[in-house]
Amino acid sequence: MASRGWGHLPAGGWGREFDDRAYGAGRVIGSAGGPAKRRLLLDRLGFDAAIDYRAAPIREQLRRIAADGVDVYFDNIGGDHLEAALDVMRDHGVVVVCGAISGYDAETRPPGPDNLEQIMDKALRLEGFRVSEYVGMMPALAAELAPDIAAGRIESLTTVYEGLDNAVTAFLDMMSGRTTGKTLVRLGP
């Protein structure tokens, strides 16, 4: 059976890289905030399925859309997204933890997942991921991706704000999901 992957923030800076090419998955499910970003995942970025986490509880949606399970979950959200993933992970699945944005601006520490026993019950593996540990692989990655970028098969999605005066707005918009792709502030012409 082909593997299935799920990742959140595919319309964000990391998400463009989360596709079936990167994971070799037979089916890739994405999650984004709002119907427009959900459509972007499906229509422009080629995801097989997508969830709008603002439309209904993420656990309910993921159980419905991934009823046959998930093998790999790329987590940069934590919180309810991690809970949802643990519910649908297949035995011996892998959770790659790259962030926990759900708690970054919280005034109080958010509660942890209420289903951690799934890690043991399904013999899951959770692994932390820091880009800094893979810097040495960047030249090889660039060489592999260059032909696809040049041919337009891989595109970079960005939201650009002009001038340092807009840096705070850019950051707040990014954190609240009002941007698409990488959020940049242009400092010069």
Side-chain angles (χ1 to χ4, degrees):
M1 181 174 289
S3 64
R4 289 159 176 80
W6 180 54
H8 177 71
L9 268 177
W14 267 112
R16 183 59 197 104
E17 281 59 62
F18 187 95
D19 64 10
D20 53 355
R21 175 190 167 123
Y23 285 94
R27 182 170 189 242
V28 179
I29 301 167
S31 170
K37 286 187 178 182
R38 181 181 172 278
R39 292 288 354 140
L40 174 77
L41 297 177
L42 295 169
D43 299 341
R44 187 166 165 193
L45 300 182
F47 281 68
D48 299 298
I51 293 168
D52 173 1
Y53 67 85
R54 293 181 180 155
I58 191 76
R59 270 177 133 161
E60 292 173 15
Q61 292 185 73
L62 191 58
R63 281 185 187 134
R64 214 172 22 253
I65 205 165
D68 51 352
V70 170
D71 297 300
V72 177
Y73 172 51
F74 185 86
D75 182 26
N76 57 358
I77 299 298
D80 61 347
H81 285 70
L82 179 56
E83 284 178 341
L86 293 175
D87 283 348
V88 299
M89 294 299 295
R90 291 183 181 177
D91 286 356
H92 305 285
V94 177
V95 177
V96 180
V97 181
C98 182
I101 197 169
S102 66
Y104 289 170
D105 62 352
E107 291 184 24
T108 60
R109 189 175 198 86
D114 64 8
N115 56 349
L116 290 176
E117 75 281 353
Q118 296 285 348
I119 297 167
M120 176 189 59
D121 292 347
K122 297 176 181 179
L124 302 176
R125 189 174 85 220
L126 275 71
E127 186 170 323
F129 175 82
R130 293 186 302 210
V131 174
S132 61
E133 294 184 11
Y134 298 93
V135 170
M137 297 176 76
M138 292 301 283
L141 178 64
E144 182 179 336
L145 295 179
D148 288 338
I149 292 168
R153 288 186 293 270
I154 295 177
E155 63 180 301
S156 178
L157 301 176
T158 58
T159 302
V160 180
Y161 291 76
E162 298 294 336
L164 194 55
D165 305 3
N166 289 311
V168 172
T169 300
F171 179 76
L172 294 174
D173 285 355
M174 177 189 67
M175 293 299 286
S176 65
R178 290 190 294 265
T179 63
T180 301
K182 291 177 178 59
T183 302
L184 304 173
V185 176
R186 189 184 336 259
L187 300 178

